[in-house]
Amino acid sequence: MIFKSYLVDQNINLLDKKLCLLFGENLGLKIELKNKIINKNKNAEFIRLTQDEILKNEDNFFNEIYNISLFEKQKIYLIDQTSDKILNIIKELQPKLDTQKIYLFSDVLDRRSKLRSYFEKSHDTAVVICYADNELTIKKIVIEKLKGYGGLSPQNIITIVNNSNLDRIKLNNELNKITTYFQNKIIDAKKLEILLDLKVNNDFNILKDQA
């Protein structure tokens, strides 16, 4: 079952399936969604793996999955760098999952991908396509993260958006700078330009000391 990424970003509870695939070029969005999954399930035990680690020792992985106890925390598996190579393992595991959940993270998967096709067609799985951000989505993030800040003019928003290069990871770093520096929640346009000028401000630790 396919879920729109912006809806999942707004409500991580939509991913209520035991098997979920998140793929696409937007690394920043995948990182954010992964963090939301972790924050939502604070009482669970998280096991982080890569596909290669699983393929090198499938028996250990299956033993880990099936070895559950009534007294253990819920186990949630976060598996990175996945591709079609893991599909047979997923098919074997799916009917046997109990309280465990598995989240797969992949780079771009084209429509010929068997892994993508399997998750998209199944009603018992969830798939989220993480497309690259555009100017509109970046603007929305800026406005939401800096809600309540004075001086957030259209020009200052454009300055922040342009400086991010439409990269969500870089954008979040810049927003972190802004919230750290403008602790009075009033954004000054000239100071903002200096703050975001990497030639002037290469050391964020110095910035934090000044703030």
Side-chain angles (χ1 to χ4, degrees), residues 59-203:
D59 289 340
N60 277 357
F61 179 62
F62 281 111
N63 288 337
E64 166 67 29
I65 292 282
Y66 298 145
N67 185 21
I68 58 175
S69 167
L70 293 175
F71 305 101
E72 284 183 335
K73 294 181 179 180
Q74 179 191 25
K75 290 185 177 181
I76 297 179
Y77 296 82
L78 304 176
I79 305 176
D80 289 317
Q81 303 168 16
T82 56
S83 68
D84 290 356
K85 294 180 180 179
I86 203 170
L87 180 55
N88 288 336
I89 293 176
I90 295 301
K91 286 181 177 179
E92 185 174 343
L93 282 176
Q94 184 174 4
K96 301 173 183 177
L97 291 177
D98 184 14
T99 59
Q100 316 95 318
K101 287 188 175 181
I102 299 177
Y103 293 88
L104 307 179
F105 296 86
S106 303
D107 292 329
V108 177
L109 297 174
D110 63 34
R111 294 190 178 278
R112 295 172 295 177
S113 166
K114 295 179 181 178
L115 183 65
R116 172 178 175 174
S117 178
Y118 180 79
F119 273 79
E120 287 182 342
K121 292 178 180 178
S122 174
H123 293 291
D124 298 323
T125 61
V127 58
V128 182
I129 307 175
C130 299
Y131 294 110
D133 285 308
N134 55 36
E135 186 173 337
L136 179 60
T137 59
I138 292 294
K139 278 185 178 179
K140 285 182 177 179
I141 294 171
V142 172
I143 294 170
E144 179 62 28
K145 293 288 180 68
L146 298 180
K147 187 176 181 180
Y149 277 70
L152 190 62
S153 65
Q155 183 56 49
N156 284 340
I157 292 174
I158 291 174
T159 298
I160 299 169
V161 170
N162 289 342
N163 201 72
S164 74
N165 294 322
L166 303 184
D167 182 327
R168 190 178 291 227
I169 294 177
K170 184 174 182 182
L171 174 66
N172 286 332
N173 288 336
E174 302 297 57
L175 291 173
N176 189 23
K177 290 181 187 178
I178 293 168
T179 55
T180 300
Y181 189 80
F182 296 107
Q183 293 186 4
N184 61 355
K185 292 194 173 184
I186 299 175
I187 298 174
D188 180 277
K190 290 184 179 180
K191 291 181 179 179
L192 178 66
E193 289 183 3
I194 295 173
L195 180 66
L196 300 183
D197 186 348
L198 296 181
K199 294 179 181 178
V200 175
N201 177 39
N202 284 319
D203 192 338

